[in-house]
């Protein structure tokens, strides 16, 4: 395969930061908060770059949808080895309402436009945990999908994908072009070292808007309220099993 | 006592006791003696390559250690107010004179401002000089000070002290800012001017030319399994702006003997929280400072509480404790939590909730502790050499000014930049400009205030001295008082001190340590050696715990140091939770055995402060 791979990268709040809900309960505070690339997207980029190093594909294009700061995430992907980037600009209220369906539409349009052979995404984002974008993209393109991939190998003109499923591991063979979503054990992402960040400054990032791809990003979902999970209440220690049963009966549980 | 008949542990005990008497004079000798005397195997805690070099480690054989190198004209270490001021000024001068100048700035935080923590009441003098149109450009200086309140607290009451104009603490004309946001904005200004800013990359090593001058820096290596070497950045001159007690600055002091004509630096630890309070209690522009309770009169320290005016009822509050305290049972974190319950403070916080926490060491040495600031190939700026005006508790404006002076001293020497040089550029003009500048005058005028606290009446003696000699005489007295020596040597043995009975945190106004650390957002990648290194792994239990009851478990604001029982049941061991570290540097400063050496961890790690 000498084609092009599209890799989606998402800029999310760093996993170690404590999340705070906005006082008006419309979302979480993001202003000035430390953001980084979604860990599963890092794994996706690494897989794409590995495939390029094995000469299985020719070009890796990193794509991100979001405001100006999404360019930093694309730069990190470029520093890891992607050849060029595409920044689909979505800002303000549109960005707050951007969900998997709209992103999938954007990726489908881009895959067609760039004549990509493969679209690799992370299996889910750590901020919304949706796990939908990869699957929706495949459906919109009518391409086969290898989701939760923990191992990907090229066999002739097909892809062998080992998937992590509830029951264990499932191996499937799918045609190309295809959509893959990366799971945790697919690979260990490399670091974006400083010399590579400096080189990445010279790589191109194309700018475009969803309208340029004829994609309608109006959301069909409306977020009514965001609130913190209830405070964990203190537990109670009991001495004997009889006490336990009595307390459970008291509480109406049994 | 016949040594032949004594048990092994008793022998060790006696040798340790006899060497304690000499440790003040020569701590290095103590360590060597102890190692020879110790026949049992010391626990292996430190694995960092600065203590156990990789050249001698067989596991590193065959690993590619070659580093990529790049050249710049000026490299700046540290993206705080000082480093950014130097960068901005250099580029302003270069653009003014239409010259090319490659300025690279490396910063260990993942984004600009993420490791910045300060009160802060900013004096806009340096800003007015550096970026005169800062207001039009949208600098986040939104809150002019409207009310200035100073109190002496007792356990239940408060004695107001009038804030007369001329007193160092007077804040008329200043702004309450979130310094992290100011740093972020300055970073944007610097990038617009063409400075190359690289957040997330820590300078971990200073590089030297053959003649011993500074060649540049190397960034940290990353990973163990997936290992990548750092990168070398060579420069004609390197500016070091690492902030208070920088780790590279420590090496430079030794190498170039920069501290031979000044006193050792003394420090304090500042802990800070940000609270979203009830609107009814919010008084934007109000500045409150207090001294005394809960500290005793011999422990320097105090509190601050600032009401910000940025659209929401936000207050920044915190507590500073001088690190020359003598009671090893003192915990600065718990003093802070205790202070919040005072009847003058608690009502402001009732009904509010805490949104941020952090801590950092700050300089208290002032004029007496300023080292030599220039050496072949480099200069020191900002809180690293230490230009903080202690009684005013402001160091940002002097740090910025020092950065600007550094730039102004370097720029005229740019003709030396071509052709490439094999020795670092020495810029002694910077030192001369500093001595003629407003920084010098300011620090000279207040030089005796902090040392004046070392008297029988402690805090009250200091306040009387300030009143007479500063307020009336403006620091013109002909003498210069001395500090008491290094902070690490001020601790008294635990047996001579009483443990302090701290109240339990109530979860509404005061909190426990671990939930506070979680709020700082600190994190470090797992695949790296712990960056809190011990020169001798046996010293913590044998000396710190034995003599001082392990003060590191109390002065660390992030719960990094814990003494836990050994698996075998008898005895304790030191556990270092390096992942919690918030890069405050207090352990490096206050360790009574000076055994802890803080080195920089992988870039991008550390706290994730948001406008603190």
């Amino acid at each position: 395969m000498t084609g092009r791979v599209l890799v989606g990268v998402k800029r999310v709040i760093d996993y170690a930061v404590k999340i705070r809900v906005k006082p008006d309960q419309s979302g979480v505070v993001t202003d000035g908060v430390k953001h980084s690339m979604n860990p599963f997207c890092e794994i996706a980029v690494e897989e794409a770059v590995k495939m390029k190093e094995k000469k299985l594909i020719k070009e890796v294009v990193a794509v991100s949808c979001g405001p100006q700061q999404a360019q930093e995430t694309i730069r990190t992907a470029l520093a890891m080895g992607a050849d060029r980037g595409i920044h689909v600009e979505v800002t303000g209220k549109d960005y707050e309402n951007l969900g998997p369906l709209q992103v999938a539409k954007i990726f489908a349009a881009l895959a067609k436009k760039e004549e990509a052979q493969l679209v690799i995404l992370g299996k889910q984002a750590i901020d919304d945990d949706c796990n939908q974008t990869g699957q929706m993209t495949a459906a919109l393109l009518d391409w086969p999908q290898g989701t939760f991939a923990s191992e990907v190998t090229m066999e002739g003109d097909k892809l062998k994908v080992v998937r992590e499923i509830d029951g264990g591991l499932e191996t499937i063979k799918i045609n190309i072009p295809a959509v893959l979503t990366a799971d945790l054990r697919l690979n260990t992402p490399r670091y974006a070292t400083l010399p590579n960040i400096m080189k990445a400054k010279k790589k191109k990032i194309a700018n475009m808007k969803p309208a340029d791809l004829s994609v309608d990003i109006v959301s069909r979902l409306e977020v009514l309220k965001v609130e913190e999970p209830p405070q964990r209440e203190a537990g109670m220690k009991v001495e004997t099993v009889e006490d336990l049963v009595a307390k459970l009966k008291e509480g109406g549980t049994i | 006592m016949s040594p032949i008949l004594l048990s092994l542990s008793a022998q060790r005990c006696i040798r340790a006791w006899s060497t304690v008497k000499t440790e003040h004079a020569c701590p290095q000798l103590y360590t060597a003696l102890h190692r020879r005397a110790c026949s049992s195997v010391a626990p292996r805690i430190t694995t960092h390559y600065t203590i156990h070099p990789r050249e001698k480690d067989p596991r590193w054989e065959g690993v590619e250690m070659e580093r990529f190198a790049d050249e710049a004209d000026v490299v700046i270490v540290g993206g705080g107010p000082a480093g950014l001021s130097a960068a901005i000024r250099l580029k302003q001068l270069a653009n003014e004179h239409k010259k090319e100048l490659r300025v690279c700035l490396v910063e260990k935080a993942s984004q600009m401002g993420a490791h910045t923590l300060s009160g802060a009441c900013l004096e806009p003098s340096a800003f007015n000089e550096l970026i005169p149109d800062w207001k039009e450009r949208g600098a986040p200086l939104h809150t002019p000070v409207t009310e200035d309140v100073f109190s002496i607290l007792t356990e239940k009451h408060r004695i107001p002290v009038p804030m007369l104009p001329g007193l160092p603490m007077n804040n008329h004309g200043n702004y309450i800012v979130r310094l992290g946001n100011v740093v972020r904005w300055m970073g944007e200004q610097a990038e617009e001017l063409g400075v190359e800013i690289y957040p997330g990359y820590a300078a971990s090593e200073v590089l030297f030319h053959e003649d011993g001058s500074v060649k540049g820096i190397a960034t940290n290596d990353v990973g163990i399994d997936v290992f990548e070497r750092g990168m070398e950045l060579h420069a004609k001159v390197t500016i070091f702006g690492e902030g208070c007690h920088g780790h590279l600055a420590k090496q430079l002091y030794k190498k170039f003997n920069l501290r031979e004509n000044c006193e050792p630096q003394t420090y304090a630890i500042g802990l800070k929280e940000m609270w979203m309070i009830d609107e009814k209690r919010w008084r934007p522009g109000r500045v409150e400072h207090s001294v005394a309770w809960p500290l005793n009169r011999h422990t320097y320290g105090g509190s601050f509480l600032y009401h910000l005016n940025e659209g929401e009822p936000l207050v920044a509050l915190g507590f500073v404790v001088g690190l020359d305290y003598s009671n090893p049972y003192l915990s600065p974190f718990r003093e802070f939590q205790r202070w919040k319950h005072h009847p003058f403070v608690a009502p402001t916080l009732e009904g509010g909730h805490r949104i941020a926490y952090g801590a950092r060491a700050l300089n208290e040495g002032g004029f007496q502790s300023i080292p030599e600031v220039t050496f072949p190939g480099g200069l020191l700026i900002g809180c690293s050499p230490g230009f903080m005006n202690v009684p005013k508790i402001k160091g940002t404006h002097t740090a910025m000014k020092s950065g600007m002076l550094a730039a102004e001293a370097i720029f005229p020497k740019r003709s030396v930049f071509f052709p490439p040089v094999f020795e670092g550029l020495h810029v002694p003009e910077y030192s001369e400009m500093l001595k003629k500048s407003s920084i010098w005058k300011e620090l000279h005028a207040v030089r005796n205030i902090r040392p004046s606290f070392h008297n029988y009446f402690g805090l009250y003696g200091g306040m009387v001295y300030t009143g007479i000699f500063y307020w009336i005489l403006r620091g013109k007295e002909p003498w210069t008082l001395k500090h008491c020596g290094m902070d690490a040597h001020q601790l008294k043995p635990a047996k001579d001190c009483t443990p302090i009975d701290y109240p339990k945190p109530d979860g509404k106004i005061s909190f426990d340590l671990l939930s506070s650390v979680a709020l700082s957002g600190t994190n470090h990648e797992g695949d790296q050696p712990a960056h809190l290194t011990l020169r001798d792994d046996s010293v913590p239990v044998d000396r710190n715990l034995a003599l001082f009851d392990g003060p590191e478990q109390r002065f660390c604001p992030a719960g990094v140091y814990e003494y836990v029982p050994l698996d075998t049941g008898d005895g304790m061991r030191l556990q270092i939770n390096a992942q919690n570290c918030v890069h405050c540097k207090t352990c490096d400063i206050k360790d009574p055995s000076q055994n802890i050496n803080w080195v920089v961890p992988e870039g991008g790690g550390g706290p994730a402060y948001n406008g603190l």
Side-chain angles (χ1 to χ4, degrees), chain A residues 11 14-18 20 23 29-35 72 79 188-199 201, chain B residues 68 70 102 106 110-111 184 197-198 201 219 222-223 226 228 231 233 276 355 518-519 521-523 525 527 602 604 608 610:
Chain A
R11 178 177 180 263
D14 188 83
Y15 69 90
V17 170
K18 208 141 172 69
R20 195 161 58 94
V29 176
T30 53
D31 213 24
V33 175
K34 178 177 174 186
H35 283 70
E72 287 162 22
T188 310
R190 66 195 62 190
Y191 291 93
T193 55
L194 187 54
N196 289 333
I197 289 270
M198 288 179 168
K199 284 189 207 139
K201 291 211 164 170
Chain B
F68 185 80
D70 201 1
R102 185 173 182 207
V106 285
S110 55
Q111 56 192 49
R184 195 161 30 131
I197 299 197
Y198 298 111
Y201 295 97
T219 58
V222 281
V226 182
E228 286 278 357
M231 170 177 164
L233 271 171
M276 197 73 92
I355 62 168
L519 216 47
T522 190
N523 192 30
E525 284 296 310
D527 247 7
E602 280 179 22
N610 181 7

Side-chain angles (χ1 to χ4, degrees), chain B residues 409-452:
Chain B
I410 292 174
F411 190 73
K413 302 192 101 159
R414 72 192 177 285
S415 54
V416 192
F417 289 176
F418 308 99
V421 290
F422 294 102
E423 50 177 45
L425 186 64
H426 193 187
V427 191
E429 291 81 357
Y430 167 56
S431 190
E432 288 153 35
M433 288 166 79
L434 261 180
K435 294 200 173 105
K436 297 202 194 93
S437 72
S438 55
I439 302 178
W440 216 255
K441 288 194 206 58
E442 194 181 324
L443 292 179
H444 187 255
V446 299
R447 73 194 180 287
N448 284 326
I449 297 185
R450 176 69 174 91
S452 70

Side-chain angles (χ1 to χ4, degrees), chain B residues 118 154 378 422 554:
Chain B
S118 182
T154 64
F422 294 102
R554 294 189 193 92

